[in-house]
Amino acid sequence: MEQTLPERASTVALRVNGTDRSLALDHRTTLLDALRDHLDLTGTKKGCDHGQCGACTVLLDGRRVNSCLLFAVACAGRSVTTVEGLTDGEHLHPVQEAFVARDALQCGYCTPGQICSAVALLDEAARGEPSHVTPPERLPGAPVALTPDEIRERMSGNICRCGAYPNIVAAIEEAAR
């Protein structure tokens, strides 16, 4: 028997951490709530629910997004990577390893969003995407050197209430090597 959905619901197909998923969701369900409440992927955190803290950062088709600001139905057919999807079996992603090695966390609440943002930051810099502090004399399209100022600027959308910023910057510098 075919499932009947409420009037304001849709079946949403997403590729989450490499696995195709199909969810029946109210149209108002955010990507964050779909991940946490419907797929039990609780690594992604709900911080401010207004896109201001970065705790909910995930990768959508490889680009970082605040999952609390996106409706899941708007992400249909796209690929989502959460902090859980960064590992390769038992092996941590190099950014995750660097966060552990550099003690780049305290309470850990913001850490999944920080890590997802850092993974995207490394890709953006490698593609040559400039930030506000990227030197203007850099050749267009050339990889961006990840100085502490460059890292801080690119991570500015992720808040750590514990103040682990120096270690977060050091971890990203280590992962960039």
Side-chain angles (χ1 to χ4, degrees):
M1 184 171 181
E2 191 173 315
Q3 180 183 3
T4 305
L5 298 174
E7 185 177 321
R8 292 188 182 100
S10 294
T11 299
V12 180
L14 297 168
R15 184 164 188 80
V16 181
N17 298 331
T19 302
D20 291 326
R21 304 300 297 261
S22 181
L23 302 168
L25 300 171
D26 182 294
H27 294 162
R28 300 165 294 181
T29 304
T30 64
L31 179 58
L32 172 62
D33 290 336
L35 294 169
R36 290 184 57 80
D37 300 340
H38 298 270
L39 296 175
D40 295 322
L41 293 170
T42 56
T44 306
K45 302 300 185 221
K46 184 179 279 203
C48 65
D49 221 12
H50 295 287
Q52 297 174 343
C53 73
C56 67
T57 304
V58 298
L59 305 176
L60 183 64
D61 293 334
R63 307 289 293 201
R64 56 183 153 168
V65 297
N66 291 328
S67 62
C68 72
L69 296 180
L70 295 172
F71 290 119
V73 294
C75 301
R78 298 179 73 186
S79 178
V80 179
T81 303
T82 67
V83 70
E84 294 96 339
L86 294 175
T87 60
D88 181 16
E90 295 295 316
H91 302 287
L92 295 177
H93 185 281
V95 172
Q96 292 170 312
E97 288 178 349
F99 266 64
V100 172
R102 293 295 182 163
D103 197 26
L105 58 132
Q106 287 185 27
C107 79
Y109 196 82
C110 72
T111 305
Q114 297 273 1
I115 288 172
C116 284
S117 193
V119 167
L121 172 158
L122 295 173
D123 289 341
E124 293 162 6
R127 284 193 304 269
E129 295 177 17
S131 77
H132 178 69
V133 300
T134 303
E137 63 274 4
R138 182 190 57 84
L139 294 173
V144 176
L146 289 174
T147 64
D149 282 344
E150 189 75 45
I151 292 168
R152 283 190 289 271
E153 172 66 22
R154 290 173 183 265
M155 292 296 290
S156 64
N158 292 83
I159 296 171
C160 174
R161 289 171 178 87
C162 299
Y165 297 115
N167 295 359
I168 291 169
V169 171
I172 295 169
E173 285 179 308
E174 182 175 313
R177 290 188 205 119

